[in-house]
Amino acid sequence: MELRHLRCFVAVAEDLHFARAAERLHIEQSPLSRAIKELEEELGVVLFARTTRSTRLTRAGTLFLDHVTRVFTALEQARDSVKAVANGFDGQLRIALSDGITPSRLPTLLARSREEDPEVEIKLFEVPLAQQVKGLQDDLYDAGFSMVEDAGDGILVEPAWDDQLMVAVPARHPVLAYRRIPLEELLRYPLALGDPAFCEGHARQVDRFLRQQPMEPLIAQRVATFDVMMALVSAGLALGLAGSAHIASSRELNIVGRPLAGKPPMLTTYLLRRDTDPTQALSRFIERLQSIDSTGGDTVVIQGDT
C-alpha cells in the first residue's frame, strides 16, 4: 500500500465519480481504477459499489475513509512541525476549534501566548466537534475549545470562559424600545438559532435556557454559522440569540446588540484535552488561559449593555 493508493481512494471517495476524480488527480481513468483495484486486493475488501449509473462507498469504504483522513492529517502535521522547526520554533501546539465557541477570550489568549512563548507555534484547526474529540483521542490535537460539557471517556472538559447571551436586533425593530429586552417580549418574534448539527454545544446551551421559559419560542431558522444568523438579523427576518462576542464581531450592518432583562444568562466555552499529563507547552497555555479568565480578559461592550 502506497500513498498514491490512498490519494486515489480519497479522490474517488470525495467525488464518487471515477472520471471526475481522475481529472482532479491529473491522471487517466484507467490507472486510477487500477490503483483502487490494487488497494481493494491489498485490503481484501470492496471499497466502492459501482453500477453504470453511480458509485458509492461500501461500509468498509466508509470506515477506511475515516482512517485515511486521519493518516493525511498526521502527515500534514508532521510536515508543519518540521517547517516550524526550520522557521525557528521549538515546538507546536495544535488547537482545535469547534461547536460555535464564543471568541471573547481567544484573541487575548493567542496574543499573550505569542508574547510569552514565542518559540511555540500555535496551529488552529476549525473542525466539527466529533472530529475534534476523535483527534484528541488519536493525538492529532493537543487541546481544543468547544461548548459541550461532556466529550466522553478519556477527555477532560474544563470551563474556559463565559460570554453573555444577548439578542441581535435589526435596526429600527420595535424591541429596541427596551434597553434590556424582557424575555416575554423577545419570544413574540421569530428567532434565528444555532443548528445542533453544526454547533451542538452552543445550541444546547441556548435551548436549555429557552426551555426554562413558559412560552414556546417561534424559530424562524436554524443556522450553521453565526454569519448566516447575523445576515438574517440584518435583513430583518429574525432576532438572533448569540454570545456578545459573536454579535460584536459581526460584519453585517444595521444590527444592534441588546442584553436580556434580569440576571444575564451566560454561555460557557470549555477547554478539551486528553486525560493525561499535559506537555510543558500545553501546561503553560492552560495557566495562561486561567490567568486571563481570572482577570476578566477582553470586555465586549455592546449598545444597551450599560
Side-chain angles (χ1 to χ4, degrees), residues 196-216:
F198 297 95
C199 43
E200 176 185 347
H202 186 280
R204 188 187 300 174
Q205 291 190 39
V206 173
D207 287 351
R208 184 188 304 132
F209 166 72
L210 292 175
R211 284 197 301 270
Q212 297 172 0
Q213 316 310 320
M215 293 178 61
E216 188 74 18

Side-chain angles (χ1 to χ4, degrees), residues 12-87:
V12 177
E14 289 177 347
D15 286 334
L16 293 178
H17 194 283
F18 274 73
R20 286 198 296 268
E23 185 176 349
R24 275 181 56 189
L25 295 170
H26 305 291
I27 62 174
E28 298 294 328
Q29 187 171 338
S30 57
L32 173 61
S33 299
R34 186 163 58 251
I36 298 299
K37 183 179 180 181
E38 291 171 354
L39 185 57
E40 290 178 326
E41 290 175 350
E42 172 80 15
L43 295 171
V45 298
V46 175
L47 298 171
F48 297 98
R50 301 174 64 180
T51 68
T52 56
R53 294 187 176 182
S54 67
T55 298
R56 63 177 179 83
L57 282 165
T58 63
R59 184 176 178 183
T62 301
L63 178 63
F64 189 60
L65 178 60
D66 182 54
H67 287 286
V68 171
T69 300
R70 294 204 298 276
V71 167
F72 280 117
T73 299
L75 287 172
E76 181 179 352
Q77 291 185 359
R79 183 172 60 245
D80 289 344
S81 295
V82 171
K83 288 182 177 179
V85 171
N87 290 331

Side-chain angles (χ1 to χ4, degrees), residues 136-137 151-156 273-276:
L136 289 170
Q137 293 169 338
D153 295 339
I155 302 296
L156 293 178
R273 63 182 180 89
R274 288 186 305 283
D275 190 6
T276 58

